[in-house]
């Protein structure tokens, strides 16, 4: 079982790799080689930082095409944090007019804050599961995971939303569109709950 | 100061409990009375213990002076990233964007800047633009001197050097430049175990819209509760209270939860695995 963790010069890749190893998915490896991603059984797109800078980097490095190809192949794909946001069509963050990977139609919006809510949201928040997804199998409502973000995804099709959290509003914390999975939170930094999610992904 | 500020329990946020480890030359230098550890000086082993107890995050403050020994910082940070699956921040001696990048590359989620932010404020903007505001923690060490409009003056070089900067204005400036969080250590309260500096911390949390980590002075569970209820902080940095075995992170969280303060709580049986 080869799980390619895609390195495009951004993001905290080591933690993701170690978390997979910790749950017994020893075939997880970090790579920036498109050929290695193409031949993997599963792929993970982590991310930190701004949407526009990340999309620039994905395009410059050729990773954008590899991801689209991989997603179209039907193999399980997981986007994390900004790696989730990049799957959508567009974002309010950074330069306007930057197009996302558009694998999941929708828009990325900014938290409005206010009411004592700090932006970015940095910390643990509770999950709810509006629709079942194999990614979240075995988890319980109100399980807490670690978020670190100012922007959140609004998929055009609400049926793709498989987890929500509340931060002034209910927002999409996890999604699934066929073989494409994504989490706004960082499963690799979410203790036992996060490790369970990565274990689920490794067993898909 | 009790009752100065009371925060309604907001289920959308919870108070983060963050043990802080002071590390020198790759060894933890604070705290000796520690049980259940083979080697209390190993930062990785200490980190893993707090992780298993339910810490929400960890902070490592590296006070190693020489450059060659700083490689040790990268070494233990890498090892922490392999065993601890919660976020952690590393600070100490960061002067350049490259220093910052190297720390993140070890697997740290955040890096904190203190003296360098005063010497080179643009460093905060550069790191924020390059790596994202979420990983830029600006550490501010104020002391009440009366030399600035608010009375609190920013100090650098581990508190040895006054800067003439007003702590509240400085916090605002750091937010403008792209800091994602403020780690606020009251020099007046630090080491006293008499509680966080509520007036200072509340003044800063009221001034900025980014999260504030209360630091310096926590000696009891009541103090930690005050970080949330009276200071309005989003996180409480703790050191002596856990290092010297007064309480575990799990015991602290259980008590906070009983007091109605929202914390992420793991049952003891879930904590280890």
């Amino acid at each position: 079982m080869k799980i390619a963790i895609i390195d495009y010069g951004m993001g905290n890749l080591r933690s993701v790799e170690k978390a997979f190893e910790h749950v017994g998915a020893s075939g997880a490896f970090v790579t920036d080689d498109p050929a290695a991603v193409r031949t993997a059984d599963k792929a993970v797109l982590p991310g930190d930082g701004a949407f526009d800078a990340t999309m620039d980097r994905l395009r410059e490095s050729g990773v954008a095409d590899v991801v689209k190809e991989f997603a179209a192949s039907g193999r399980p794909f997981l986007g994390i944090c900004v790696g989730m946001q990049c799957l959508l069509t567009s974002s309010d963050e950074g330069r306007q007019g930057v197009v996302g990977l558009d694998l999941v139609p929708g828009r990325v919006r900014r938290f409005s804050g206010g009411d004592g809510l700090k932006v970015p949201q940095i910390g643990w928040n509770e999950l709810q599961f509006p629709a079942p997804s194999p990614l979240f199998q075995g988890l319980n409502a109100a399980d807490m995971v670690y978020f670190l973000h100012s922007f959140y995804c609004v998929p055009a099709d609400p049926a793709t939303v498989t987890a929500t959290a509340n931060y002034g509003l209910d927002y999409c914390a996890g999604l699934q569109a066929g073989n494409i999975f994504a989490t706004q939170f960082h499963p690799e930094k979410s203790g036992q709950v996060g490790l369970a999610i990565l274990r689920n992904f490794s067993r898909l | 100061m009790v009752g100065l500020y009371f925060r309604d329990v907001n289920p959308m946020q919870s108070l983060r409990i963050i043990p802080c480890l002071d590390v020198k030359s790759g060894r933890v230098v604070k705290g000796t009375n520690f049980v259940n550890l083979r080697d209390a000086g190993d930062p990785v082993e200490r980190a893993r213990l707090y992780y298993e107890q339910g810490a929400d995050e960890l902070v490592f403050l590296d006070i190693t002076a020489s450059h060659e020994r700083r490689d040790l910082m990268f070494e233990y940070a890498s090892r922490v990233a392999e065993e601890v699956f919660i976020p952690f921040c590393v600070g100490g001696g960061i002067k350049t964007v490259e220093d910052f990048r190297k720390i993140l590359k070890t697997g740290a989620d955040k890096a904190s800047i203190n003296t360098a932010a005063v010497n080179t404020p643009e460093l905060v903007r550069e790191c924020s633009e390059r790596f994202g505001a979420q990983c830029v923690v600006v550490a501010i060490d104020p002391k009440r001197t009366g030399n600035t409009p608010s009375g609190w003056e920013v100090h650098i070089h581990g508190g040895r050097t006054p800067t003439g900067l007003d702590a509240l204005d400085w916090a605002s400036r750091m937010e403008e430049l792209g800091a994602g969080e403020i780690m606020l250590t009251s020099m007046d309260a630090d080491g006293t175990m008499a509680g966080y500096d509520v007036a200072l911390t509340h003044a800063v949390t009221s001034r900025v819209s980014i999260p504030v980590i209360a630091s310096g002075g926590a000696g009891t569970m009541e103090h930690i509760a005050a970080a949330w209820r009276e200071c309005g902080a989003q996180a409480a940095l703790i050191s002596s209270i856990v290092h010297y075995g007064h309480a575990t992170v799990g015991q602290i969280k259980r008590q906070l939860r009983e007091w109605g303060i929202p914390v992420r709580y793991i049952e003891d049986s879930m904590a280890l695995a």
Side-chain angles (χ1 to χ4, degrees):
Chain A
M1 171 67 64
K2 288 190 288 178
I3 303 176
I5 301 163
I6 305 172
D7 179 6
Y8 53 102
M10 296 174 91
N12 192 342
L13 308 173
R14 187 183 175 85
S15 306
V16 179
E17 183 184 26
K18 296 300 167 191
F20 272 118
E21 280 176 15
H22 194 79
V23 297
S26 54
F29 64 105
V30 175
T31 182
D32 59 0
D33 176 10
V37 177
R38 287 194 178 98
T39 56
D41 301 298
K42 290 168 186 164
V44 180
L45 185 69
D48 277 317
F51 178 87
D52 54 347
T54 305
M55 282 311 307
D56 288 348
R57 191 80 197 100
L58 287 174
R59 294 216 161 84
E60 285 162 13
S61 60
V63 166
D65 292 333
V66 177
V67 167
K68 285 186 176 179
E69 192 186 308
F70 195 95
S73 74
R75 285 168 287 173
F77 180 89
L78 176 65
I80 297 173
C81 198
V82 177
M84 172 196 202
Q85 296 176 4
C86 288
L87 302 175
L88 274 70
T89 314
S90 66
S91 173
D92 293 347
E93 183 177 18
R95 305 192 316 276
Q96 289 309 288
V98 176
V99 179
L101 295 167
D102 200 23
L103 292 166
V104 180
R107 180 173 167 189
V108 183
R109 308 198 60 138
R110 190 175 201 278
F111 281 130
S112 53
D115 198 24
L117 293 175
K118 305 280 183 175
V119 177
Q121 173 181 212
I122 301 180
W124 299 75
N125 204 339
E126 293 182 356
L127 292 179
Q128 301 294 331
F129 305 102
S133 169
L135 192 63
F136 302 128
Q137 195 181 351
L139 271 63
N140 299 305
D143 275 350
M144 294 184 90
V145 290
Y146 186 77
F147 290 89
L148 199 159
H149 63 132
S150 300
F151 293 80
Y152 62 96
C153 293
V154 186
D157 179 3
T160 58
V161 177
T162 54
T164 63
N166 187 291
Y167 201 69
L169 78 173
D170 287 328
Y171 67 92
C172 175
L175 65 80
Q176 183 188 350
N179 59 313
I180 300 172
F181 299 83
T183 65
Q184 181 58 66
F185 54 90
H186 287 270
E188 77 281 13
K189 292 289 173 179
S190 294
Q192 292 302 314
V193 172
L195 293 174
I197 291 168
L198 295 178
R199 189 182 291 115
N200 285 341
F201 182 75
S202 72
R203 290 178 180 173
L204 284 173
Chain B
M1 284 299 173
V2 174
L4 173 72
Y5 178 88
F6 184 83
R7 181 206 299 259
D8 288 331
V9 173
N10 183 342
M12 289 172 266
Q13 289 186 312
S14 57
L15 177 68
R16 282 177 283 147
I17 304 298
I18 308 179
C20 176
L21 299 170
D22 289 345
V23 183
K24 187 173 187 184
S25 302
R27 308 288 292 171
V28 177
V29 292
K30 215 188 226 175
T32 51
N33 177 18
F34 217 83
V35 288
N36 301 330
L37 288 180
R38 289 187 303 273
D39 177 1
D42 178 18
V44 180
E45 197 165 345
R46 198 72 84 87
R48 192 173 53 218
L49 184 79
Y50 294 142
Y51 163 61
E52 289 169 351
Q53 289 179 355
D56 296 309
E57 217 169 305
L58 298 169
V59 167
F60 298 88
L61 290 182
D62 202 294
I63 52 177
T64 309
S66 74
H67 274 279
E68 61 186 289
R69 291 204 160 171
R70 295 186 59 78
D71 289 342
L72 287 166
M73 177 162 99
F74 301 122
E75 201 250 20
Y76 71 72
S78 300
R79 284 167 54 220
V80 168
E82 290 177 12
E83 300 189 34
V84 170
F85 301 102
I86 54 174
F88 68 97
C89 173
V90 177
I94 295 169
K95 293 190 180 68
T96 65
V97 174
E98 179 58 17
D99 292 340
F100 204 96
R101 190 192 67 80
K102 276 169 82 176
I103 285 175
L104 295 182
K105 203 164 167 62
T106 63
D109 302 272
K110 309 173 184 184
S112 72
I113 316 178
N114 190 338
T115 301
V118 171
N119 292 336
T120 322
E122 276 302 309
L123 179 64
V124 174
R125 187 200 296 281
E126 284 172 31
C127 290
S128 183
E129 286 176 354
R130 172 123 180 233
F131 308 110
Q134 79 287 337
C135 64
V136 181
V137 178
V138 173
I140 303 179
D141 297 347
K143 185 176 183 179
R144 195 188 271 282
T145 62
N147 294 336
T148 66
S150 72
W152 288 293
E153 182 177 2
V154 176
H155 284 58
I156 54 173
H157 297 129
R160 294 188 301 277
T161 313
T163 62
L165 294 165
D166 182 76
L168 305 189
D169 293 344
W170 183 243
S172 291
R173 173 105 194 277
M174 291 298 96
E175 179 179 21
E176 284 163 21
L177 283 178
E181 272 183 290
I182 301 287
M183 185 158 67
L184 183 72
T185 305
S186 163
M187 290 180 56
D188 301 302
D190 198 26
T192 64
M193 294 191 77
Y196 296 111
D197 186 332
V198 172
L200 168 70
T201 312
H202 182 252
V204 173
T205 58
S206 306
R207 181 70 81 90
V208 299
S209 63
I210 51 176
V212 174
I213 304 166
S215 165
T220 67
M221 302 207 197
E222 284 81 0
H223 295 153
I224 299 168
W228 176 260
R229 289 185 163 152
E230 293 163 39
C231 302
Q234 281 67 43
L237 205 74
I238 54 176
S239 54
S240 306
I241 191 168
V242 283
H243 296 336
Y244 295 107
H246 298 313
T248 66
V249 177
Q251 287 166 340
I252 291 167
K253 288 186 151 190
R254 194 173 309 132
Q255 181 62 69
L256 293 172
R257 192 175 64 157
E258 278 173 23
W259 285 337
I261 293 171
V263 289
R264 163 180 165 263
Y265 182 73
I266 354 180
E267 297 297 334
D268 289 344
S269 59
M270 277 288 294
L272 295 158

